[in-house]
C-alpha cells in the first residue's frame, strides 16, 4: 500500500501526484499529476484506450494505484477508498438506472444505498430536474435526456461535492444537451466540482479546464483558450469544397501539412507556420475549380487541437514502436 501523504490544500477537491496503474507489463496510467479546484468543471479528453476509464476508477476508489497518490475530497483513494465512494457521485454512460422501477423508486433506492435521509432534499432534486409530473413513470420509458437527468438526481441524493460524469450527454439532442449543461453550471454555482469525460469538443470548450490523456500520459492540462493556443505555431486553413478523396490525398502530401480533416463541405488543414498561403494552397490542390477565394485562414477549435495532437502523438508512438521492433529483431533490445 502506498505511504500516506499530506492531504491537498482545502481549495482542491481532487489532487493526484505521479498516479500510475500497471496491469502486468502494460502501463494504463503513467505518472499523472492532477489538481481540481472546488467548484470547477474539469474536462478529461482522450481517444479510446488512452487511460480515461482506468484513471476514473482509481479516483473513485475502485482500483488501487500501483504507485503515486491521489486524494479525493481530502481522503486517500488507496488507504480509504470506502470514504471516497461515500462522498462522490458517479453517472455512467449507461445511467445505472433500473428500467422497471419508477422515477421515485430509483431515487429512493440510491438514497438508501448512500444512506441519504434528507427527504426534503430529494423532493427538491425531483422538482428542480423536471420530474414533478413524472415521478410514477417507469425509468425505462423516459427519453434519453430524462434518463440522464434521473441518473444525475440519483447521484446527488447524498449531496456529493465531487461528481464524475462519464460522457453525460452522449446520444441526446442539442437542445437537451444545452439544458443538461445549464444544470451542470447550477451545480458548480453551489460549489460542486464536476469531472467530465466527453467526445464532444464543443462541450470541452464549456469546461473551466481540460486535460488530454494519450497512452496513459497527460499531454495537455489547461484552460480551453490556452489549449487552443498550442496550435499557435501553425497556420489553419478552411477550404470550401465537397469531399473529394483525391483532393484530400493531395492535401495530405503537401509539405508542412500535419492534419487534414473534412467537415461537411469544408476541409480544415493544419500546416507548419509560413509554409502555405491561401493562393499557394489553392494552386497546389488545383483541381481547376479551387481559387484563393475558396481558401482562407481560420482560428483553431478544440476539435482541431484534438485531431492534430492525437494524430501527431499516434505517429510518434508508431515510429517508436517500429524502432523498438527493429532493434529487437537485431537482438539489440
Amino acid at each position: 500500500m502506498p505511504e500516506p501523504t499530506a492531504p491537498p490544500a482545502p481549495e482542491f477537491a481532487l489532487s493526484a501526484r505521479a498516479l500510475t496503474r500497471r496491469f502486468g507489463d502494460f502501463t494504463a496510467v503513467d505518472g499523472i499529476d492532477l489538481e481540481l479546484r472546488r467548484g470547477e468543471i474539469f474536462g478529461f479528453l482522450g481517444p479510446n484506450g488512452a487511460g480515461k476509464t482506468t484513471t476514473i476508477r482509481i479516483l473513485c476508489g475502485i482500483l488501487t494505484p500501483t504507485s503515486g497518490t491521489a486524494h479525493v475530497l481530502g481522503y486517500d483513494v488507496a488507504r480509504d477508498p470506502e470514504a471516497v465512494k461515500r462522498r462522490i457521485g458517479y453517472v455512467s454512460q449507461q445511467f445505472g438506472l433500473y428500467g422497471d422501477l419508477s422515477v421515485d423508486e430509483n431515487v429512493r433506492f440510491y438514497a438508501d444505498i448512500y444512506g441519504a435521509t434528507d427527504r426534503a432534499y430529494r423532493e427538491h432534486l425531483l422538482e428542480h430536474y423536471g420530474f414533478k409530473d413524472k415521478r410514477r413513470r417507469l425509468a425505462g420509458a423516459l427519453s434519453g435526456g430524462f434518463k440522464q437527468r434521473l441518473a444525475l438526481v440519483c447521484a446527488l441524493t447524498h449531496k456529493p461535492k465531487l461528481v464524475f460524469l462519464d460522457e453525460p450527454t452522449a446520444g441526446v439532442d442539442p437542445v437537451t444537451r444545452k439544458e443538461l449543461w445549464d444544470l451542470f453550471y447550477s451545480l458548480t454555482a453551489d460549489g460542486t466540482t464536476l469531472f467530465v469525460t466527453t467526445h464532444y469538443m464543443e462541450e470541452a470548450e464549456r469546461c473551466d479546464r481540460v486535460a488530454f490523456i494519450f497512452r496513459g500520459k497527460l499531454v495537455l492540462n489547461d484552460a480551453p483558450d490556452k489549449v487552443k493556443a498550442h496550435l499557435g505555431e501553425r497556420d489553419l486553413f478552411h477550404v470550401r469544397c465537397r469531399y473529394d478523396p483525391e483532393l484530400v490525398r493531395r492535401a495530405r502530401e503537401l509539405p508542412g501539412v500535419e492534419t487534414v480533416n473534412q467537415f461537411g463541405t469544408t476541409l480544415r488543414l493544419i500546416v507548419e507556420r509560413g509554409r502555405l498561403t491561401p493562393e499557394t494552397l489553392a494552386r497546389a490542390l488545383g483541381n481547376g475549380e479551387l481559387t484563393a477565394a475558396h481558401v482562407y485562414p481560420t482560428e483553431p477549435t478544440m476539435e482541431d487541437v484534438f485531431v492534430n495532437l492525437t494524430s501527431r502523438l499516434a505517429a510518434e508512438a508508431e515510429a517508436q514502436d517500429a524502432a523498438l521492433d527493429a532493434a529487437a529483431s537485431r537482438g539489440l533490445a
Side-chain angles (χ1 to χ4, degrees):
M1 180 178 292
E3 291 297 317
T5 59
E11 69 266 24
F12 295 114
L14 185 155
S15 179
R17 292 286 180 271
L19 194 64
T20 301
R21 174 68 195 204
R22 300 186 184 91
F23 297 94
D25 294 332
F26 175 67
T27 302
V29 178
D30 194 354
I32 284 179
D33 291 338
L34 274 181
E35 286 182 337
L36 272 65
R37 293 189 177 275
R38 293 181 185 271
E40 77 171 339
I41 302 179
F42 176 79
F44 198 43
L45 315 178
N48 293 332
K52 297 191 299 296
T53 299
T54 302
T55 301
I56 291 173
R57 292 180 72 192
I58 295 171
L59 297 175
C60 289
I62 299 169
L63 277 178
T64 303
T66 304
S67 60
T69 61
H71 289 84
V72 173
L73 300 174
Y75 292 87
D76 189 309
V77 299
R79 300 181 65 82
D80 204 350
E82 293 308 313
V84 171
K85 293 174 188 175
R86 289 194 300 270
R87 288 165 174 81
I88 62 171
Y90 180 77
V91 180
S92 72
Q93 294 180 46
Q94 303 302 319
F95 309 127
L97 300 174
Y98 292 90
D100 56 348
L101 296 182
S102 70
V103 168
D104 258 342
E105 289 167 336
N106 270 281
V107 174
R108 288 202 304 270
F109 175 79
Y110 278 96
D112 288 344
I113 287 178
Y114 286 118
T117 59
D118 190 340
R119 183 173 179 179
Y121 183 66
R122 295 205 306 268
E123 295 296 321
H124 161 74
L125 288 174
L126 286 166
E127 183 163 348
H128 181 67
Y129 285 84
F131 290 101
K132 184 176 181 180
D133 301 320
K134 299 179 176 65
R135 302 170 61 119
R136 296 185 179 181
R137 189 173 300 180
L138 293 181
L142 296 173
S143 67
F146 271 98
K147 284 179 181 176
Q148 189 61 279
R149 288 181 184 224
L150 180 56
L152 188 56
V153 169
C154 292
L156 294 175
T157 56
H158 58 304
K159 305 178 184 178
K161 286 301 180 181
L162 173 61
V163 180
F164 291 85
L165 301 170
D166 191 4
E167 300 203 28
T169 62
V172 302
D173 62 84
V175 173
T176 302
R177 187 175 300 139
K178 178 192 177 301
E179 292 172 349
L180 285 168
W181 271 91
D182 288 342
L183 293 172
F184 300 159
Y185 287 135
S186 70
L187 278 172
T188 60
D190 291 335
T192 304
T193 307
L194 301 184
F195 188 113
V196 181
T197 69
T198 181
H199 282 115
Y200 295 115
M201 293 300 104
E202 71 273 16
E203 288 193 350
E205 302 215 30
R206 294 173 179 259
C207 299
D208 297 301
R209 247 177 345 108
V210 295
F212 284 78
I213 185 172
F214 185 84
R215 283 197 169 190
K217 292 180 178 288
L218 278 192
V219 292
L220 278 180
N221 183 3
D222 219 326
D225 58 338
K226 293 182 179 179
V227 167
K228 288 187 285 186
H230 281 266
L231 290 180
E233 297 303 313
R234 296 166 178 83
D235 292 322
L236 280 81
F237 293 101
H238 191 100
V239 183
R240 294 202 311 270
C241 63
R242 292 184 177 181
Y243 175 70
D244 180 343
E246 177 59 24
L247 187 146
V248 171
R249 183 191 63 78
R250 289 203 303 272
R252 286 177 174 153
E253 292 177 351
L254 292 175
V257 172
E258 292 186 353
T259 54
V260 179
N261 203 7
Q262 185 84 34
F263 285 88
T265 58
T266 62
L267 200 63
R268 292 180 70 86
L269 282 74
I270 300 176
V271 185
E272 294 173 9
R273 175 61 58 85
R275 297 295 295 271
L276 293 169
T277 66
E279 293 76 16
T280 57
L281 181 55
R283 285 198 301 270
L285 295 178
N287 61 356
E289 298 177 2
L290 283 179
T291 68
H294 294 87
V295 183
Y296 51 92
T298 187
E299 294 298 317
T301 65
M302 290 294 289
E303 182 97 5
D304 293 321
V305 176
F306 185 83
V307 171
N308 181 263
L309 188 61
T310 302
S311 298
R312 287 190 293 112
L313 291 172
E316 291 171 6
E318 186 176 339
Q320 291 171 1
D321 291 345
L324 289 173
D325 289 343
S329 67
R330 297 193 303 267
L332 299 178

